PDB file of all heavy atoms in Angstrom:
ATOM      1  N   PRO A 167     -31.221 -12.608  -3.899  1.00  0.00           N
ATOM      2  CA  PRO A 167     -31.783 -11.653  -4.869  1.00  0.00           C
ATOM      3  C   PRO A 167     -33.303 -11.769  -4.913  1.00  0.00           C
ATOM      4  O   PRO A 167     -33.868 -12.856  -4.781  1.00  0.00           O
ATOM      5  CB  PRO A 167     -31.150 -12.101  -6.192  1.00  0.00           C
ATOM      6  CG  PRO A 167     -29.904 -12.829  -5.794  1.00  0.00           C
ATOM      7  CD  PRO A 167     -30.245 -13.517  -4.509  1.00  0.00           C
ATOM      8  N   ILE A 168     -33.965 -10.638  -5.116  1.00  0.00           N
ATOM      9  CA  ILE A 168     -35.425 -10.600  -5.089  1.00  0.00           C
ATOM     10  C   ILE A 168     -36.022 -11.491  -6.187  1.00  0.00           C
ATOM     11  O   ILE A 168     -37.078 -12.096  -6.008  1.00  0.00           O
ATOM     12  CB  ILE A 168     -35.932  -9.135  -5.224  1.00  0.00           C
ATOM     13  CG1 ILE A 168     -37.401  -9.037  -4.803  1.00  0.00           C
ATOM     14  CG2 ILE A 168     -35.699  -8.600  -6.604  1.00  0.00           C
ATOM     15  CD1 ILE A 168     -37.613  -9.215  -3.330  1.00  0.00           C
ATOM     16  N   GLU A 169     -35.307 -11.617  -7.328  1.00  0.00           N
ATOM     17  CA  GLU A 169     -35.813 -12.477  -8.408  1.00  0.00           C
ATOM     18  C   GLU A 169     -35.927 -13.930  -7.964  1.00  0.00           C
ATOM     19  O   GLU A 169     -36.886 -14.631  -8.308  1.00  0.00           O
ATOM     20  CB  GLU A 169     -34.891 -12.398  -9.636  1.00  0.00           C
ATOM     21  CG  GLU A 169     -34.794 -11.012 -10.247  1.00  0.00           C
ATOM     22  CD  GLU A 169     -33.594 -10.256  -9.711  1.00  0.00           C
ATOM     23  OE1 GLU A 169     -33.193 -10.533  -8.550  1.00  0.00           O
ATOM     24  OE2 GLU A 169     -33.063  -9.390 -10.432  1.00  0.00           O
ATOM     25  N   LEU A 170     -34.924 -14.376  -7.184  1.00  0.00           N
ATOM     26  CA  LEU A 170     -34.926 -15.768  -6.727  1.00  0.00           C
ATOM     27  C   LEU A 170     -36.036 -16.000  -5.698  1.00  0.00           C
ATOM     28  O   LEU A 170     -36.707 -17.040  -5.706  1.00  0.00           O
ATOM     29  CB  LEU A 170     -33.564 -16.119  -6.121  1.00  0.00           C
ATOM     30  CG  LEU A 170     -33.316 -17.588  -5.817  1.00  0.00           C
ATOM     31  CD1 LEU A 170     -33.334 -18.406  -7.103  1.00  0.00           C
ATOM     32  CD2 LEU A 170     -31.992 -17.777  -5.110  1.00  0.00           C
ATOM     33  N   ILE A 171     -36.244 -15.033  -4.805  1.00  0.00           N
ATOM     34  CA  ILE A 171     -37.312 -15.148  -3.806  1.00  0.00           C
ATOM     35  C   ILE A 171     -38.662 -15.241  -4.514  1.00  0.00           C
ATOM     36  O   ILE A 171     -39.516 -16.074  -4.161  1.00  0.00           O
ATOM     37  CB  ILE A 171     -37.299 -13.937  -2.849  1.00  0.00           C
ATOM     38  CG1 ILE A 171     -35.949 -13.845  -2.117  1.00  0.00           C
ATOM     39  CG2 ILE A 171     -38.444 -14.020  -1.842  1.00  0.00           C
ATOM     40  CD1 ILE A 171     -35.760 -12.561  -1.338  1.00  0.00           C
ATOM     41  N   LYS A 172     -38.840 -14.383  -5.529  1.00  0.00           N
ATOM     42  CA  LYS A 172     -40.101 -14.371  -6.280  1.00  0.00           C
ATOM     43  C   LYS A 172     -40.324 -15.695  -7.004  1.00  0.00           C
ATOM     44  O   LYS A 172     -41.418 -16.268  -6.970  1.00  0.00           O
ATOM     45  CB  LYS A 172     -40.085 -13.226  -7.281  1.00  0.00           C
ATOM     46  CG  LYS A 172     -41.404 -13.033  -8.030  1.00  0.00           C
ATOM     47  CD  LYS A 172     -41.326 -11.834  -8.971  1.00  0.00           C
ATOM     48  CE  LYS A 172     -42.643 -11.653  -9.717  1.00  0.00           C
ATOM     49  NZ  LYS A 172     -42.584 -10.534 -10.671  1.00  0.00           N
ATOM     50  N   GLU A 173     -39.262 -16.210  -7.629  1.00  0.00           N
ATOM     51  CA  GLU A 173     -39.374 -17.462  -8.363  1.00  0.00           C
ATOM     52  C   GLU A 173     -39.768 -18.616  -7.435  1.00  0.00           C
ATOM     53  O   GLU A 173     -40.667 -19.404  -7.744  1.00  0.00           O
ATOM     54  CB  GLU A 173     -38.042 -17.785  -9.055  1.00  0.00           C
ATOM     55  CG  GLU A 173     -38.088 -19.084  -9.858  1.00  0.00           C
ATOM     56  CD  GLU A 173     -36.704 -19.526 -10.318  1.00  0.00           C
ATOM     57  OE1 GLU A 173     -35.711 -19.143  -9.666  1.00  0.00           O
ATOM     58  OE2 GLU A 173     -36.625 -20.280 -11.290  1.00  0.00           O
ATOM     59  N   TYR A 174     -39.112 -18.698  -6.274  1.00  0.00           N
ATOM     60  CA  TYR A 174     -39.395 -19.795  -5.354  1.00  0.00           C
ATOM     61  C   TYR A 174     -40.793 -19.656  -4.752  1.00  0.00           C
ATOM     62  O   TYR A 174     -41.501 -20.644  -4.551  1.00  0.00           O
ATOM     63  CB  TYR A 174     -38.341 -19.835  -4.245  1.00  0.00           C
ATOM     64  CG  TYR A 174     -38.325 -21.145  -3.500  1.00  0.00           C
ATOM     65  CD1 TYR A 174     -37.788 -22.290  -4.075  1.00  0.00           C
ATOM     66  CD2 TYR A 174     -38.862 -21.239  -2.215  1.00  0.00           C
ATOM     67  CE1 TYR A 174     -37.774 -23.494  -3.399  1.00  0.00           C
ATOM     68  CE2 TYR A 174     -38.852 -22.444  -1.534  1.00  0.00           C
ATOM     69  CZ  TYR A 174     -38.309 -23.567  -2.119  1.00  0.00           C
ATOM     70  OH  TYR A 174     -38.308 -24.766  -1.448  1.00  0.00           O
ATOM     71  N   ALA A 175     -41.204 -18.412  -4.472  1.00  0.00           N
ATOM     72  CA  ALA A 175     -42.539 -18.183  -3.919  1.00  0.00           C
ATOM     73  C   ALA A 175     -43.611 -18.612  -4.926  1.00  0.00           C
ATOM     74  O   ALA A 175     -44.574 -19.314  -4.572  1.00  0.00           O
ATOM     75  CB  ALA A 175     -42.707 -16.716  -3.556  1.00  0.00           C
ATOM     76  N   GLU A 176     -43.432 -18.208  -6.181  1.00  0.00           N
ATOM     77  CA  GLU A 176     -44.414 -18.551  -7.216  1.00  0.00           C
ATOM     78  C   GLU A 176     -44.476 -20.055  -7.451  1.00  0.00           C
ATOM     79  O   GLU A 176     -45.548 -20.618  -7.715  1.00  0.00           O
ATOM     80  CB  GLU A 176     -44.082 -17.822  -8.509  1.00  0.00           C
ATOM     81  CG  GLU A 176     -44.354 -16.317  -8.437  1.00  0.00           C
ATOM     82  CD  GLU A 176     -43.912 -15.572  -9.685  1.00  0.00           C
ATOM     83  OE1 GLU A 176     -43.226 -16.198 -10.540  1.00  0.00           O
ATOM     84  OE2 GLU A 176     -44.247 -14.378  -9.814  1.00  0.00           O
ATOM     85  N   ALA A 177     -43.323 -20.724  -7.339  1.00  0.00           N
ATOM     86  CA  ALA A 177     -43.295 -22.184  -7.518  1.00  0.00           C
ATOM     87  C   ALA A 177     -44.107 -22.881  -6.438  1.00  0.00           C
ATOM     88  O   ALA A 177     -44.589 -24.004  -6.638  1.00  0.00           O
ATOM     89  CB  ALA A 177     -41.852 -22.676  -7.497  1.00  0.00           C
ATOM     90  N   ASN A 178     -44.274 -22.210  -5.292  1.00  0.00           N
ATOM     91  CA  ASN A 178     -45.051 -22.770  -4.195  1.00  0.00           C
ATOM     92  C   ASN A 178     -46.456 -22.178  -4.115  1.00  0.00           C
ATOM     93  O   ASN A 178     -47.165 -22.378  -3.127  1.00  0.00           O
ATOM     94  CB  ASN A 178     -44.321 -22.555  -2.864  1.00  0.00           C
ATOM     95  CG  ASN A 178     -43.153 -23.502  -2.668  1.00  0.00           C
ATOM     96  OD1 ASN A 178     -43.312 -24.609  -2.165  1.00  0.00           O
ATOM     97  ND2 ASN A 178     -41.962 -23.074  -3.080  1.00  0.00           N
ATOM     98  N   GLY A 179     -46.843 -21.404  -5.149  1.00  0.00           N
ATOM     99  CA  GLY A 179     -48.188 -20.846  -5.195  1.00  0.00           C
ATOM    100  C   GLY A 179     -48.386 -19.606  -4.354  1.00  0.00           C
ATOM    101  O   GLY A 179     -49.517 -19.296  -3.956  1.00  0.00           O
ATOM    102  N   PHE A 180     -47.308 -18.852  -4.081  1.00  0.00           N
ATOM    103  CA  PHE A 180     -47.403 -17.656  -3.242  1.00  0.00           C
ATOM    104  C   PHE A 180     -47.031 -16.407  -4.026  1.00  0.00           C
ATOM    105  O   PHE A 180     -46.243 -16.451  -4.970  1.00  0.00           O
ATOM    106  CB  PHE A 180     -46.472 -17.779  -2.029  1.00  0.00           C
ATOM    107  CG  PHE A 180     -47.021 -18.621  -0.918  1.00  0.00           C
ATOM    108  CD1 PHE A 180     -46.964 -20.008  -0.998  1.00  0.00           C
ATOM    109  CD2 PHE A 180     -47.610 -18.051   0.198  1.00  0.00           C
ATOM    110  CE1 PHE A 180     -47.473 -20.806   0.009  1.00  0.00           C
ATOM    111  CE2 PHE A 180     -48.126 -18.842   1.215  1.00  0.00           C
ATOM    112  CZ  PHE A 180     -48.063 -20.214   1.126  1.00  0.00           C
ATOM    113  N   LYS A 181     -47.609 -15.279  -3.603  1.00  0.00           N
ATOM    114  CA  LYS A 181     -47.241 -13.981  -4.137  1.00  0.00           C
ATOM    115  C   LYS A 181     -46.370 -13.262  -3.095  1.00  0.00           C
ATOM    116  O   LYS A 181     -46.278 -13.690  -1.950  1.00  0.00           O
ATOM    117  CB  LYS A 181     -48.505 -13.151  -4.410  1.00  0.00           C
ATOM    118  CG  LYS A 181     -49.398 -13.749  -5.497  1.00  0.00           C
ATOM    119  CD  LYS A 181     -50.678 -12.923  -5.675  1.00  0.00           C
ATOM    120  CE  LYS A 181     -51.587 -13.100  -4.458  1.00  0.00           C
ATOM    121  NZ  LYS A 181     -52.905 -12.449  -4.632  1.00  0.00           N
ATOM    122  N   LEU A 182     -45.761 -12.148  -3.506  1.00  0.00           N
ATOM    123  CA  LEU A 182     -44.948 -11.356  -2.589  1.00  0.00           C
ATOM    124  C   LEU A 182     -45.615 -10.021  -2.301  1.00  0.00           C
ATOM    125  O   LEU A 182     -46.172  -9.388  -3.209  1.00  0.00           O
ATOM    126  CB  LEU A 182     -43.557 -11.088  -3.183  1.00  0.00           C
ATOM    127  CG  LEU A 182     -42.688 -12.279  -3.576  1.00  0.00           C
ATOM    128  CD1 LEU A 182     -41.325 -11.784  -4.063  1.00  0.00           C
ATOM    129  CD2 LEU A 182     -42.495 -13.239  -2.410  1.00  0.00           C
ATOM    130  N   ASP A 183     -45.539  -9.592  -1.048  1.00  0.00           N
ATOM    131  CA  ASP A 183     -46.011  -8.250  -0.682  1.00  0.00           C
ATOM    132  C   ASP A 183     -44.885  -7.274  -1.017  1.00  0.00           C
ATOM    133  O   ASP A 183     -44.106  -6.867  -0.157  1.00  0.00           O
ATOM    134  CB  ASP A 183     -46.348  -8.203   0.816  1.00  0.00           C
ATOM    135  CG  ASP A 183     -46.682  -6.792   1.281  1.00  0.00           C
ATOM    136  OD1 ASP A 183     -46.974  -5.930   0.414  1.00  0.00           O
ATOM    137  OD2 ASP A 183     -46.627  -6.549   2.505  1.00  0.00           O
TER     138      ASP A 183
END
Side-chain angles (χ1 to χ4, degrees):
I168 196 70
E169 298 95 331
L170 190 63
I171 300 170
K172 186 178 180 182
E173 181 191 25
Y174 197 74
E176 289 175 351
N178 284 273
F180 280 79
K181 295 177 290 186
L182 302 183
D183 173 17

